[in-house]
Amino acid sequence: MKEYLEEAPQSWSERLVLSAVPKDGTLYSDGFALSAGLPVSYWGQLYTLLSDMDVKVRAYRSEGRVILTVAAEAEVSAPCARCLEPAREKIHGELRYVLSLRRGEERAVGEPESDGDEEIIALDSWEDEIDLAPMIWEALITSLPCGLLCRPDCRGLCPQCGANLNEAPCGCKKDAGDPRFDVLKNFMRGKGNDTAKNQK
């Protein structure tokens, strides 16, 4: 059994009941808290939700469609990208979906497959409820930063001894440069000597 999540957990059973969205275009809104239970795996990194995730759902009808917005907000923790100490950050993700209500029909001729940046999701004729779990998961993972810092001026770890430079400077000699460039340095020194000889 995995000790982290790569998709929405089965405990997320929240749904949008389409009949609850007013037919006159009035905004429907709902909010609730969700717990992940396990760290979330994304970007090759594990993120721990430090508290329940605050989810807000808004929906309204427009021209035979339901415009659905799903927002997720939480505070997450992960190792600092420079020193590996725990770092935390508040995240907020919000995504918009366009649901077509032309039940049992093919998309009308000339109707675009997308509406701006939003893909049009055609609903099956029997669908009265929309499973929100995949959408909440998408809003969560797209808001995760690719790297967290424990503080903006984090000095990281010494590349030689691995000491945390935020705590104290280490005694390692500062490297003059990358040894892979030594050949290039010698080549440039040789060029400099050739230039000096030619000037004489």
Side-chain angles (χ1 to χ4, degrees):
M1 181 178 174
K2 289 184 177 178
E3 297 183 356
Y4 53 84
L5 298 172
E6 292 182 314
E7 59 185 15
Q10 294 182 353
S11 60
W12 293 2
S13 57
E14 282 64 27
R15 295 180 173 273
L16 171 67
V17 179
L18 291 176
S19 60
V21 182
K23 294 183 178 180
D24 61 0
T26 305
L27 182 67
Y28 163 89
S29 62
D30 190 15
F32 45 86
L34 286 178
S35 173
L38 292 171
V40 173
S41 175
Y42 194 62
W43 295 103
Q45 176 67 59
L46 291 181
Y47 299 83
T48 301
L49 272 65
L50 298 177
S51 60
D52 286 351
M53 181 169 50
D54 184 27
V55 180
K56 288 186 171 53
V57 176
R58 300 188 303 276
Y60 65 92
R61 294 178 186 257
S62 175
E63 300 178 357
R65 295 173 178 169
V66 170
I67 313 302
L68 171 64
T69 302
V70 177
E73 191 172 283
E75 187 173 17
V76 298
S77 173
C80 174
R82 293 180 186 167
C83 71
L84 303 181
E85 291 296 319
R88 57 173 58 193
E89 184 175 316
K90 286 188 176 179
I91 59 168
H92 177 83
E94 185 170 310
L95 295 175
R96 188 170 175 248
Y97 301 88
V98 179
L99 312 176
S100 174
L101 296 177
R102 294 191 177 120
R103 297 168 184 259
E105 297 179 9
E106 295 296 327
R107 186 175 284 111
V109 176
E111 180 180 353
E113 293 187 3
S114 62
D115 184 7
D117 293 333
E118 299 88 10
E119 181 181 355
I120 297 173
I121 301 172
L123 301 177
D124 291 326
S125 59
W126 50 267
E127 286 188 89
D128 293 320
E129 298 181 350
I130 304 299
D131 182 9
L132 294 174
M135 300 173 181
I136 297 168
W137 177 260
E138 191 174 13
L140 168 64
I141 63 171
T142 54
S143 66
L144 292 172
C146 58
L148 289 179
L149 293 179
C150 60
R151 62 190 200 197
D153 61 344
C154 176
R155 299 180 62 196
L157 302 177
C158 171
Q160 296 179 43
C161 69
N164 187 340
L165 299 177
N166 294 314
E167 297 174 356
C170 66
C172 297
K173 287 186 178 180
K174 300 302 177 189
D175 193 356
D178 192 324
R180 293 173 292 182
F181 290 109
D182 287 347
V183 173
L184 184 58
K185 286 179 185 176
N186 294 333
F187 175 76
M188 294 306 293
R189 283 194 195 110
K191 281 282 189 185
N193 292 338
D194 291 344
T195 303
K197 288 177 183 178
N198 291 336
Q199 289 176 351
K200 290 180 181 178

